[in-house]
Each structure stands twice: as C-alpha cells, then as structure tokens.
Amino acid sequence: MNNNKTLNEIKSNRNEEKIVECDVALNANIDDKYKRKSVPNIPNISENSLLRHYTNLSRKNYALSTTMYPLGSCTMKHNPLVNEKIAKFDGFSSVHPYQDEETMQGSLEVMYELQKGLSEISGMDYFTFQPAAGAHGEYTGLLIIAKYFKSRNEKRTKIIVPDSAHGTNPASAALAGFEIISVKSDEHGIVSPENLKQVLNSDVAAMMMTVPNTLGVFEKNIKEITKLMHDNGSLMYYDGANLNAVMGILRPADIGFDVMHINLHKTFSTPHGGGGPGSGPVGVKAFLKEFLPSPFVVKEEGTFKFHFNDKEKSIGQMKAFYGNFPVILKACAYIKALGADGLTEASKQAVVNANYILSKLKDKVKIPAGNCCMHEFAMSLKGALGDGIRTLDVAKRLLDNGYYAPTIYFPLIVEEAMMIEPTETESKQTLDEFVETLINIFEESKTNPEAVHNAPVNTSVKRLNEVEAARHPILHW
Ligand SMILES: *Cc1c(COP(=O)(O)O)cnc(C)c1O
C-alpha cells in the first residue's frame, strides 16, 4: 500500500470543522494553568528517518542473534526462536487465568507435561511454577524447609552455604529468616566432608549446593555430604539454575537432594538477562508436597485440574495465579522438541565445548580447579597479563572485538577471575575465533597495555566509572 496516498486520503477526508469543535470543547474544561504556552517541540521528520533511527538504535544492542555470549554461570544459553512463536499462539496467549478449568485444558496440559518433564529430569516428585526467578525459587524452597521443620516442632535456624555459591543463596536464606554458615572450599574448589563436619550441628536446617559448582567442578563428595546432612536431620537444597551439565546424566533427587529450583530462563529456552519475565520452578520430594504453594496441576480420569494444598500446611502463594505462563510454555516446547536423548546430548555437548576452550587456554592462564571442567570453568588471569592490566580491562577489550564480556571477579574465591561458558550450540569455528581473540588480548596487554586499559573504544558508550555508577547512580534526567 502507498502510505503517502493513504495519509493524503485521510487528510482530505478529515472534517476539519468537527476537529476544531472538538478541540474547543476539550479546551473549555481545562484549567489555564495546564494549557501549553508554546507549540510542542515534536520533531518534524520523515517516516524513513524515524525508521532508520530506531533500526540503528536496535543495532547497538548486543544479541545472541549477532554474536556469541561467553558468559559463565548466568549465561545466555540456547533460546530457539521457534519457541517465541509458540508462546504467542492465540490459543495460549488469549487464555484468562479466571477461566474455568474445562475451558483451558490445553494450557493445563502444558503445565502438567512440564511438571512431568522436570520431574523426569530432576527426580523430584512435585513442582510449583509460581516463583518468577531463581532467587525467588530459592526463597520459596527455603520457606518450604522452614515450614517442614515447624511442622515437626524442630527449631533449626541455620543454613550452610559453600563459599563458592552464587550470591543469591545466602541472600535468600537471610530473607527467609535463617542465619548463614559459610563453608570453605578445599584446594580442589569443592566442599570437603571434613570442613562440613566442623560446622554441622542440630541447629542446621539445610545446606544449599550447586552441582557442578560455580567453578564448573563436580562435587565428588556429594553422596557423603548428603548422608552427613541427612544423618543430622537436615535437608539438602540444590541450586539448579543451570542444568546444562547434568540433564539426562545426573538427577539431583537421586544423589540426596530434597528441594531444588530450576531457572527456565537459563536452561530451558527463555533468554536470561533481558530483564524478565523469568521462571524459577521449585521441585520437592513427596514428603514436602503439602508445603508447596497452591495450585499445581494434577490429572484425574483424563482431565487436568488445579490441586490446592491445605492452607494451613502450604507456605501460601508466592505469585499471582500459576507463574509466568509463556515461559512455562517455551520450556515445555523445548523439552518436547529435544526429548530425553536430545537433552542428554545438549549436556554432553555443553561439557565438551567448555573443555575445548579450557584445553586451548590452560597453558596461558591458571585454572584453579584443574584441567577438566563441566559446562563452564573459572580461570585466574593473574600473571597472564601485562603490567597493571586487570581482568576488567580484558573484559572491556572483548567488547571492542564484538563479544559480550564474560562473568568476571566471580566466583569470589578465584583471584582476577574470568568465567567462561560457551553453551552447547556454538560451533568449533566460533569457539576457535573466540579463543584466538582472547589470546590476542592477553598478548596485546603486554605489547600495547594502553589499548587494553582504555577499552572499549568501538562501543557507543566508552569506559564507565563503575564506582561512580554504583555510588551515585543517576536514575533519571
Ligand atoms: C542465575 C543464578 C541464580 C539466580 O537466578 P535469578 O533468576 O537471576 O534470580 C542462582 N544460582 C545460580 C548458580 C545462578 O547461576
């Protein structure tokens, strides 16, 4: 259609008199002090100029559809675009949460199937989809643990968290009213039963663990740890934000975990880091079912129904209705598309890709956890760079080279840390190019340290004063 023609037609068809009448009527009811004193300063530009402005702005975005995300821990994993289409299907997007169950059997079936899928993957018996993020899931899981001990008239006030844990773990435990005991990792970057025994007593409600941990190392003492904890009457919480190393290979419930959360917005096809919405389903073993928030979906005689827990026993609602449904839908579509074999393959490939990068870098940097990793690894750049050049500078220089900056200075126990997680879907060529870029920056930091220290120069925003940004944020202008 010729837009100009349409616009002219509209103009010529306008009843100018009517519009003037209308303006007068509106103006009559507006107090003078609210009326404009001058003509609004709206740019008078062509449609093309406007289109180009916004298209150029969108090109300044860094996106998975343009380059790789080497981030570790909270990485942007594979998010097949087809699932965004599915999330918009009319039959799902036009459903209202107040509709009768029998009129939304399809949506209930999706939730039921995802509960079943996550149960198969994790070994947990029941899931709630209410939590909107990983941290929200941790908080939900910890409230369930608190309620469980309350129902047994046991006063347990402490949660053990390894020093390699994601920061949300101790934060969620504190929010749920617990006191936090930190347990030190040993020289291999894992929790040793000996260290654990020193802090274990009858006050301990649970221990939160990430397996493989945030260093990308498998906690090989895990069975002994879960036994120690259970013998002490305590529960085990699994931080399953990133399941990319273990799907189809290890089930948290089988190695002794009682409660866990999963980030659908990391492992299961929703972009992480886009500001939401997220979804952090919480899974529990059967003995904790009655404490879950209501409702969750059950199947009775071929019909899908909402199940409501006893109000007195449940921890109550954590979010309106059933959680972020489009995220649930995408996760279900993703799991169904890959199937058990595909998910296992994804995990194996994620581990192979991370080890490939590690093996190419291991002679250049220190890898505190050894020469083998799971789906990600942390390295220390201390000693690998030119004088005065730090990991932060390398991350900034990667931006100049068109890469998103990896996670840096985490985990806290690694000096000058940089974490890498390539994900399962990157090709060998992409991984080779990334490693080459990184090694070039290490070299450049010695031959031309200024260039690395002043990076980024190719981005629209140059080096920011990060302390200033944190201490004196400008939240509006
Ligand atoms: C991302 C992440 C979390 C927190 O998840 P959010 O959705 O960002 O709240 C917790 N633990 C680990 C290991 C993570 O990677």
Side-chain angles (χ1 to χ4, degrees):
M1 192 192 287
N2 180 332
N3 280 343
N4 283 337
K5 187 165 164 252
T6 326
L7 203 62
N8 286 334
E9 273 169 9
I10 293 171
K11 276 187 190 157
S12 65
N13 288 338
R14 269 197 338 188
N15 185 338
E16 295 288 347
E17 268 174 41
K18 266 257 153 38
I19 289 172
V20 172
E21 259 174 43
C22 210
D23 275 357
V24 171
L26 270 175
N27 269 333
N29 290 328
I30 296 173
D31 198 316
D32 264 355
K33 71 175 180 215
Y34 296 121
K35 285 185 191 162
R36 284 187 185 285
K37 307 286 179 289
S38 57
V39 181
N41 183 20
I42 298 171
N44 191 0
I45 53 169
S46 72
E47 183 178 324
N48 266 346
S49 304
L50 188 69
L51 180 66
R52 286 172 195 157
H53 171 71
Y54 283 111
T55 306
N56 284 328
L57 271 187
S58 77
R59 282 181 177 182
K60 290 196 198 314
N61 269 345
Y62 190 94
L64 200 55
S65 46
T66 52
T67 2
M68 148 193 203
Y69 266 76
L71 212 69
S73 183
C74 299
T75 202
M76 179 78 78
K77 306 189 204 284
H78 183 44
N79 301 297
L81 283 177
V82 64
N83 292 336
E84 298 297 329
K85 279 218 153 144
I86 292 173
K88 286 185 200 144
F89 280 176
D90 218 30
F92 292 120
S93 61
S94 57
V95 173
H96 193 279
Y98 279 134
Q99 263 176 244
D100 283 341
E101 286 166 3
E102 59 265 32
T103 66
M104 50 171 172
Q105 283 292 300
S107 297
L108 265 67
E109 186 171 0
V110 165
M111 289 191 255
Y112 181 79
E113 285 296 316
L114 184 61
Q115 281 167 205
K116 235 173 63 181
L118 296 183
S119 292
E120 260 180 59
I121 292 167
S122 66
M124 294 296 165
D125 298 308
Y126 293 94
F127 270 91
T128 170
F129 293 135
Q130 278 193 358
H136 198 195
E138 291 164 18
Y139 180 57
T140 303
L142 289 157
L143 292 184
I144 289 172
I145 290 170
K147 195 100 194 217
Y148 164 76
F149 284 115
K150 195 166 173 219
S151 77
R152 296 165 58 91
N153 281 328
E154 282 185 61
K155 195 163 159 38
R156 291 182 181 248
T157 52
K158 294 181 177 151
I159 297 282
I160 299 179
V161 182
D163 60 0
S164 62
H166 193 277
T168 50
N169 290 188
S172 303
L175 202 63
F178 289 103
E179 202 180 304
I180 291 102
I181 308 177
S182 176
V183 57
K184 252 177 102 62
S185 306
D186 69 7
E187 69 275 20
H188 308 294
I190 57 176
V191 176
S192 80
E194 298 318 310
N195 287 355
L196 177 60
K197 275 182 206 157
Q198 285 171 16
V199 291
L200 199 53
N201 59 41
S202 60
D203 288 344
V204 174
M207 175 165 182
M208 301 178 85
M209 282 188 81
T210 311
V211 186
N213 66 23
T214 59
L215 288 164
V217 185
F218 188 76
E219 296 277 353
K220 65 175 191 230
N221 305 316
I222 190 64
K223 280 202 153 168
E224 202 182 334
I225 291 171
T226 50
K227 180 164 188 323
L228 270 176
M229 293 296 292
H230 287 152
D231 286 350
N232 189 55
S234 316
L235 300 184
M236 286 299 290
Y237 184 97
Y238 184 90
D239 179 340
N242 311 284
L243 283 187
N244 294 50
V246 297
M247 293 181 296
I249 293 166
L250 169 130
R251 306 198 316 165
D254 296 343
I255 51 169
F257 286 93
D258 307 292
V259 190
M260 72 181 290
H261 78 269
I262 296 172
N263 281 22
L264 299 186
H265 54 287
K266 281 181 185 163
T267 315
F268 295 106
S269 190
T270 281
H272 177 253
S279 175
V282 168
V284 296
K285 285 207 170 139
F287 73 97
L288 295 168
K289 176 188 176 189
E290 61 189 358
F291 307 108
L292 280 175
S294 300
F296 48 91
V297 181
V298 292
K299 189 176 178 183
E300 283 168 12
E301 290 158 15
T303 308
F304 300 99
K305 294 201 167 102
F306 285 121
H307 173 85
F308 291 84
N309 268 340
D310 182 324
K311 270 197 180 138
E312 294 300 312
K313 300 237 169 83
S314 157
I315 59 163
Q317 234 173 323
M318 297 304 291
K319 190 181 189 304
F321 303 110
Y322 331 112
N324 283 327
F325 184 71
V327 184
I328 294 169
L329 180 54
K330 284 189 278 182
C332 188
Y334 182 70
I335 290 174
K336 294 276 177 200
L338 265 71
D341 290 345
L343 290 173
T344 311
E345 193 56 36
S347 285
K348 288 183 178 168
Q349 196 61 46
V351 173
V352 167
N353 279 4
N355 277 287
Y356 181 68
I357 295 189
L358 184 151
S359 71
K360 293 194 118 192
L361 290 175
K362 69 175 193 287
D363 298 332
K364 316 261 175 209
V365 297
K366 280 201 271 314
I367 316 262
N371 285 342
C372 182
C373 65
M374 299 301 285
H375 63 303
E376 63 187 354
F377 65 94
M379 55 190 178
S380 169
L381 300 194
K382 193 160 184 256
L385 308 174
D387 272 356
I389 300 298
R390 303 194 55 201
T391 300
L392 174 73
D393 302 314
V394 177
K396 297 289 183 194
R397 195 59 171 155
L398 274 171
L399 300 179
D400 274 341
N401 284 276
Y403 289 99
Y404 196 82
T407 304
I408 53 173
Y409 300 109
F410 180 82
L412 304 176
I413 51 178
V414 177
E415 240 186 309
E416 292 297 315
M418 176 173 274
M419 270 189 100
I420 305 286
E421 178 180 1
T423 79
E424 61 277 10
T425 38
E426 299 298 350
S427 69
K428 180 173 175 296
Q429 188 188 348
T430 307
L431 301 184
D432 284 336
E433 284 165 5
F434 173 68
V435 170
E436 196 185 317
T437 307
L438 205 52
I439 293 176
N440 284 344
I441 296 173
F442 295 164
E443 282 308 309
E444 193 186 20
S445 78
K446 292 169 189 160
T447 55
N448 188 5
E450 280 291 288
V452 181
H453 190 63
N454 292 331
V457 290
N458 297 337
T459 51
S460 34
V461 178
K462 310 289 181 259
R463 178 79 67 116
L464 297 170
N465 182 335
E466 293 180 11
V467 176
E468 184 71 12
R471 294 281 154 79
H472 304 288
I474 300 170
L475 301 175
H476 61 85
W477 27 62

